[in-house]
Amino acid sequence: MAVRNSNTVTVTLPSDYEIVVTRMFDAPRELVFEASLRPEHVRRWWGPRHLTMTVCEADVRVGGAYRYVLRGPEGREAGFNGVYHEITPPERIVCTQIFEPMPEHVAVVTVIFEDNDGRTKLTSTTRHASKQARDGHLQSGMEAGMRDTFDRLEELLESLAKM
């Protein structure tokens, strides 16, 4: 099992098909859960800072779909979409995820929100259909992107907690 760490993000590879990303947030799990689902929040943190979210649509219910589109500084866009398979507030979300330029690679993402004395441990497990798909995801720069994305989520949670 490979392990890589940043200050607050841990990325592990427990199997040939899985990527597990873990981060602790200084916010209650109900707030982290809500910020992870509601489009008005997601559009403010999902994706690395150098990208702009141009589409953030979500029918947040079991069987409902979501679609996010990110635009790079050069104007290229890339979409992500999927379907919610499980939503258990404030504990768990399970959905598919498809990177639209590669629609043949459907991944299943399970996000667990654990209460830790008023803080939240978020664990996101992405299960790919093949080792090749998992490795391609890893080589895409996802680790640095995830660190930046989770920093943006932490910033949003701080602002929401002040409201």
Side-chain angles (χ1 to χ4, degrees), residues 2-162:
V3 177
R4 286 176 254 167
N5 294 305
S6 74
N7 291 335
T8 54
V9 173
T10 303
V11 177
T12 59
L13 309 174
S15 77
D16 285 347
Y17 302 99
E18 295 174 305
I19 302 170
V20 177
V21 180
T22 304
R23 168 135 179 196
M24 188 69 72
F25 290 94
D26 290 321
R29 80 175 174 165
E30 292 80 5
L31 186 59
V32 180
F33 185 90
E34 178 181 314
S36 297
L37 276 181
R38 291 181 52 187
E40 64 268 26
H41 298 317
V42 172
R43 76 172 44 258
R44 293 175 57 194
W45 68 266
W46 201 89
R49 214 173 290 276
H50 71 282
L51 301 177
T52 302
M53 183 172 281
T54 59
V55 175
C56 183
E57 302 169 342
D59 179 6
V60 182
R61 62 180 174 82
V62 173
Y66 70 90
R67 182 165 188 257
Y68 307 147
V69 176
L70 299 174
R71 178 181 297 142
E74 72 291 339
R76 285 189 23 208
E77 290 190 337
F80 299 81
N81 70 74
V83 174
Y84 296 106
H85 292 274
E86 181 182 337
I87 300 172
T88 306
E91 301 168 7
R92 181 177 163 102
I93 302 166
V94 179
C95 62
T96 53
Q97 185 174 69
I98 297 170
F99 178 53
E100 291 176 356
M102 304 176 83
E104 68 279 8
H105 295 293
V106 179
V108 176
V109 180
T110 301
V111 184
I112 305 293
F113 303 83
E114 295 177 71
D115 179 55
N116 191 321
D117 293 326
R119 298 176 75 211
T120 303
K121 179 181 177 184
L122 184 153
T123 303
S124 177
T125 302
T126 302
R127 181 163 179 81
H128 292 278
S130 69
K131 183 179 187 312
Q132 179 184 10
R134 184 210 63 182
D135 290 350
H137 187 188
L138 283 169
Q139 293 164 5
S140 73
M142 65 76 53
E143 191 172 343
M146 189 63 91
R147 276 197 297 273
D148 193 23
T149 295
F150 279 169
D151 286 347
R152 293 180 70 200
L153 175 56
E154 183 76 50
E155 293 162 11
L156 173 66
L157 293 166
E158 289 172 8
S159 71
L160 291 175
K162 292 176 184 175

